[in-house]
Amino acid sequence: MVDEHQNDDFQSPDLVPLESEAIPSSPESEAVPLSPESDVPYDTIIIGAGMSGLAAGIRLAYYDQRVCLLEKHYTIGGLNSFYRLNKRDYDVGLHAVTNFTEKGAKKGPFSRILKQLRFKWEDFALAPQKYSRVVFPSTSLVFNNDISLLTSEVERAFPERRDSWQLLLGQITEYDDLEQAAFEISARQRLQELLVDPLLINMLLCPLMWYGNPREHDMAWGQFCIMFRSIFLEGFARPYKGVRLILKNLIKRFRSLGGELKLRHGVSRILVEGGKAIGVELDDGRKLFGKRVLSSAGHLETLRMCEDVSEPDPRTAGQMSFIESISVLDRQPTQIGYDETIVFFNDSDDFCWAPPERDLCDLRTGVICSPNNYAYGEGYENLPEGIIRLTSIASYDRWNQLDEPHYQLEKMRWYDRSIESCVRFIPDFRPFVVDTDMFTPTTIRRFTWHDNGAVYGAPDKKLDGTTHLPNVFLCGTDQGFVGIIGAMMSGISMANIHCLRDE
Amino acid sequence: MAKNQICFSFNQLTKIETKGDFADMAPEEIRQAIVDILSDIAPDEDLSHLDDSVNFRDQMELDSMDFLDIVMELRKRYRVQVPEEDYPQLASMDTTVSYLEPKMANVTA
Ligand SMILES: Cc1cc2nc3c(=O)[nH]c(=O)nc-3n(C[C@H](O)[C@H](O)[C@H](O)COP(=O)(O)OP(=O)(O)OC[C@H]3O[C@@H](n4cnc5c(N)ncnc54)[C@H](O)[C@@H]3O)c2cc1C
């Protein structure tokens, strides 16, 4: 992610994030004065061109709606965008696409997304993970995209939990996605009753919280089930070309269906008249009118835009944010003995999922991922350079309070510290590092406008996607589904439920 | 009227023209229209063995999102409106065709 502190040369050609083919430039994205046509209301105005907004946009444009996708940033992708720095391509977020299913699978969110957006399985060119690991000091559990490996690992490390593991699998399969009451149950409590063993519980919670828990300490049972399915029952994969390929497919499809994308068009207000939204006002004061608004900006963030809401409660915002330390190596990670796709580590038997109490970051736990370690298969060489990404828990408030010189200093310090922490669990790759990049919660906030740079949004989800206004709806992170696949699923379902039926 | 509004309705018109005259749509053509829609919605399904008297759900992998798509595609392609309370009528090919027959005949572009 291009960091505001780090890059004064923000507009240098190297940093222009768009491969021209990736996001065909469109005249509308320039800040030209709007013609009187803007008085004709759009069927749907979508706020945010992240995964959820793009997926929703495709659905609506496909069914001939006049859709306008407004994005404040100069590129698409939101929390999962991409950038170029020192002549290297980086993904902002992509470790793994979750919910991987093989070609021809008819169930599961990934195949639903393909169907709903009319893509072919090949379009996303997903290569499955090799294998991943959850490491705690006393034991580790290996898993891949076949649940039987994890089952055998659990049986090996926790033989007396054999039967309760099967019970758990049953409950997860039965869990019904959209039911708010069951969603809210405490996952820790449920697991306590079922599995009893605190170490096993923490070892399961660790990866699932890392990849999708907006709440501190505990996790909603619903979120646990959704994440369990998407990671353990389905699995990890990645396109060779990373998130660029996914975004390119989405935006091309959206445009080909007549959808309008306007970059650098931030929404400052949702205009309300007679208890309904009538359109939006942009940062530069221009207005666009629409029959309804679908917002992926976040729940609190959206409420704050509504003219009729004076002070939404800021305590409802999420707090979980991260730093990402990216290391480029002069060799493939496997050459130094790092074979896993992803490693989730925790350095004691207690697993603490909360913002750091005293420091800028909490390095006791983390996620290590190498995009090199996917089974790209025939016809692909491996990525030209080795990459190891590390995510650690960080405090938005503390990073945000630093002045510029300290910010730079702390970034260097915490890059070193975070890597030092992670090489306790994987081979020490530091001698082979040729380049690094790092971003912090303030970077995330700056490029996605999510309060606190909260990666998984608010702890309380709005599963039905409604707001206090009858024609303003939420999609994406704060509606409830997170991650790349989750966000797309959210965009699709909210478009279906709220924006297509009453046309 | 605004330019893009005109474009928009023009698009719709051309779409309708390419689909021909629905007033004459025979049951067999309606069936084919549904098969076309299904093959777009569920490209991996083999539709050649579809049993018209059996519920779609019992012979192919269709969820509620797919059902919404059948309804939406009918609207997009043929401008046929299926109100929500009539969704059960689209359970199998036979019920769908007989439900749509009068509706398709009424379609006048
Ligand atoms: C470091 C990191 C690593 C991650 N790794 C993974 C991973 O490996 N796998 C995975 O599946 N997921 C991962 N995620 C999570 C995933 O990226 C997100 O869950 C998903 O992209 C969320 O999409 P969204 O559409 O809900 O929200 P967003 O992507 O946040 O989209 C919202 C958009 O709205 C725009 N916006 C906000 N306010 C306004 C406004 N007022 N006007 C106009 N536009 C506005 C924002 O700029 C943004 O583009 C990661 C995230 C991060 C940050």
Side-chain angles (χ1 to χ4, degrees):
Chain A
M1 189 177 281
V2 179
D3 190 302
E4 73 280 23
H5 293 272
Q6 187 184 7
N7 300 294
D8 307 326
D9 52 343
F10 191 66
Q11 297 295 347
S12 79
D14 205 26
L15 289 169
V16 173
L18 315 181
E19 301 159 83
S20 50
E21 34 139 26
I23 298 153
S25 69
S26 108
E28 296 108 350
S29 62
E30 300 307 319
V32 287
L34 292 185
S35 59
E37 286 158 25
S38 58
D39 292 347
V40 179
Y42 286 98
D43 292 306
T44 305
I45 291 176
I46 301 175
I47 304 178
M51 296 288 171
S52 65
L54 284 164
I58 293 174
R59 277 298 285 176
L60 300 177
Y62 179 81
Y63 286 118
D64 301 325
Q65 282 202 8
R66 235 188 118 218
V67 192
C68 184
L69 193 44
L70 298 171
E71 171 56 55
K72 195 167 167 130
H73 195 13
Y74 57 72
T75 186
I76 60 172
L79 286 164
N80 234 305
S81 191
F82 53 84
Y83 58 99
R84 206 169 153 79
L85 188 67
N86 300 336
K87 302 197 165 59
R88 288 194 170 84
D89 288 334
Y90 292 92
D91 284 345
V92 170
L94 181 64
H95 287 191
V97 174
T98 57
N99 301 89
F100 173 75
T101 40
E102 298 285 348
K103 182 173 159 66
K106 290 174 183 166
K107 287 216 164 94
F110 183 57
S111 69
R112 273 185 173 181
I113 288 171
L114 295 179
K115 280 204 286 186
Q116 289 273 302
L117 302 183
R118 310 287 191 269
F119 281 114
K120 293 196 297 289
W121 190 90
E122 289 78 7
D123 290 331
F124 288 93
L126 290 180
Q129 68 164 325
K130 290 181 175 168
Y131 67 96
S132 297
R133 186 189 297 275
V134 187
V135 199
F136 277 50
S138 48
T139 187
S140 83
L141 296 172
V142 174
F143 66 96
N144 58 14
N145 292 351
D146 178 354
I147 184 69
S148 60
L149 177 58
L150 181 59
T151 296
S152 67
E153 285 282 284
V154 170
E155 288 171 357
R156 172 188 57 77
F158 302 92
E160 65 288 9
R161 303 295 159 213
R162 205 189 179 96
D163 298 337
S164 33
W165 174 252
Q166 290 303 332
L167 282 177
L168 175 69
L169 292 184
Q171 292 206 358
I172 284 161
T173 317
E174 279 159 28
Y175 173 77
D176 175 12
D177 270 7
L178 284 170
E179 207 194 305
Q180 186 107 34
F183 186 91
E184 293 298 340
I185 299 169
S186 150
R188 277 200 179 273
Q189 197 181 328
R190 248 305 157 85
L191 294 171
Q192 180 64 42
E193 291 156 13
L194 266 170
L195 297 177
V196 188
D197 192 310
L199 180 59
L200 176 56
I201 294 172
N202 281 330
M203 290 185 81
L204 293 176
L205 283 172
C206 172
L208 305 189
M209 286 195 173
W210 261 113
Y211 274 2
N213 186 23
R215 267 185 206 176
E216 295 155 46
H217 303 289
D218 203 350
M219 189 171 192
W221 170 247
Q223 199 76 10
F224 177 87
C225 293
I226 291 171
M227 295 311 301
F228 192 104
R229 285 181 199 158
S230 67
I231 292 175
F232 294 139
L233 296 182
E234 289 159 359
F236 293 143
R238 181 182 187 277
Y240 181 77
K241 295 207 160 154
V243 81
R244 281 172 174 75
L245 178 82
I246 299 174
L247 288 170
K248 186 169 139 183
N249 278 325
L250 294 175
I251 195 61
K252 257 181 147 171
R253 175 60 49 88
F254 178 66
R255 285 241 169 91
S256 73
L257 294 167
E260 290 174 45
L261 166 70
K262 294 174 191 285
L263 298 172
R264 293 191 194 88
H265 278 58
V267 173
S268 57
R269 282 197 303 158
I270 294 174
L271 305 167
V272 179
E273 217 175 84
K276 276 181 72 174
I278 55 159
V280 298
E281 185 176 309
L282 303 174
D283 287 340
D284 62 9
R286 287 175 297 157
K287 290 176 180 166
L288 290 174
F289 297 95
K291 294 185 201 158
R292 60 180 82 74
V293 176
L294 182 61
S295 171
S296 65
H299 191 188
L300 179 63
E301 295 84 342
T302 303
L303 288 187
R304 213 180 276 134
M305 285 182 234
C306 293
E307 286 187 314
D308 59 330
V309 179
S310 46
E311 275 300 312
D313 186 350
R315 283 167 307 179
T316 58
Q319 297 291 342
M320 292 310 298
S321 194
F322 312 130
I323 56 164
E324 181 93 353
S325 317
I326 305 171
S327 310
V328 181
L329 312 187
D330 67 1
R331 59 198 69 194
Q332 295 291 321
T334 46
Q335 290 176 286
I336 55 166
Y338 180 66
D339 295 329
E340 286 92 339
T341 307
I342 300 178
V343 168
F344 302 86
F345 69 82
N346 188 62
D347 69 5
S348 77
D349 285 354
D350 295 322
F351 173 62
C352 176
W353 183 249
E357 274 174 25
R358 281 183 298 276
D359 243 328
L360 288 161
C361 300
D362 180 344
L363 304 177
R364 291 176 293 172
T365 180
V367 187
I368 308 160
C369 168
S370 174
N372 303 77
N373 291 351
Y374 282 87
Y376 291 117
E378 272 170 51
Y380 288 98
E381 301 198 358
N382 210 319
L383 303 177
E385 292 179 305
I387 296 193
I388 293 190
R389 310 182 56 118
L390 166 66
T391 318
S392 318
I393 298 178
S395 155
Y396 172 79
D397 286 340
R398 282 166 213 279
W399 280 97
N400 192 39
Q401 279 158 14
L402 299 172
D403 59 19
E404 175 63 22
H406 282 99
Y407 180 84
Q408 291 306 338
L409 211 69
E410 294 295 350
K411 262 180 70 165
M412 285 192 267
R413 230 176 107 217
W414 287 94
Y415 170 83
D416 288 344
R417 285 185 164 196
S418 62
I419 302 296
E420 195 181 330
S421 167
C422 90
V423 297
R424 294 178 293 165
F425 301 91
I426 68 168
D428 192 345
F429 57 85
R430 285 176 292 187
F432 315 108
V433 173
V434 292
D435 199 2
T436 66
D437 188 34
M438 174 168 166
F439 56 83
T440 72
T442 52
T443 331
I444 297 175
R445 150 86 219 200
R446 150 122 176 164
F447 286 100
T448 66
W449 290 273
H450 286 298
D451 277 34
N452 305 325
V455 171
Y456 300 128
D460 290 312
K461 298 303 181 193
K462 195 75 182 122
L463 295 186
D464 67 4
T466 56
T467 66
H468 66 293
L469 294 173
N471 60 342
V472 175
F473 307 102
L474 304 174
C475 70
T477 308
D478 280 356
Q479 182 263 322
F481 298 140
V482 300
I484 295 166
I485 296 292
M488 284 199 258
M489 215 40 227
S490 166
I492 291 169
S493 1
M494 293 303 109
N496 285 351
I497 295 170
H498 299 302
C499 310
L500 281 177
R501 295 208 162 167
D502 57 345
E503 264 297 296
Chain B
M1 199 201 242
K3 201 173 71 205
N4 21 10
Q5 191 69 9
I6 293 168
C7 290
F8 181 62
S9 17
F10 179 73
N11 275 340
Q12 298 233 322
L13 275 178
T14 44
K15 256 172 216 151
I16 283 157
E17 274 165 11
T18 56
K19 293 293 176 185
D21 188 353
F22 306 111
D24 297 335
M25 228 163 162
E28 196 38 48
E29 291 171 300
I30 298 179
R31 184 185 187 280
Q32 191 52 49
I34 302 298
V35 169
D36 289 347
I37 289 176
L38 287 174
S39 61
D40 275 358
I41 294 174
D44 292 332
E45 293 278 354
D46 175 11
L47 297 171
S48 55
H49 303 296
L50 207 62
D51 182 336
D52 288 6
S53 62
V54 175
N55 280 0
F56 292 128
R57 258 183 213 267
D58 297 334
Q59 44 184 337
M60 47 193 294
E61 217 42 82
L62 284 185
D63 55 29
S64 57
M65 282 191 170
D66 298 323
F67 269 95
L68 175 68
D69 262 24
I70 299 179
V71 173
M72 294 298 303
E73 289 282 0
L74 283 168
R75 189 156 87 190
K76 181 178 159 106
R77 298 180 189 198
Y78 304 105
R79 290 211 157 169
V80 170
Q81 299 278 2
V82 181
E84 210 154 328
E85 60 271 20
D86 291 350
Y87 287 5
Q89 310 271 3
L90 307 182
S92 73
M93 185 60 90
D94 284 342
T95 61
T96 306
V97 172
S98 49
Y99 171 75
L100 288 177
E101 233 186 303
K103 289 200 164 247
M104 296 290 229
N106 283 337
V107 174
T108 44

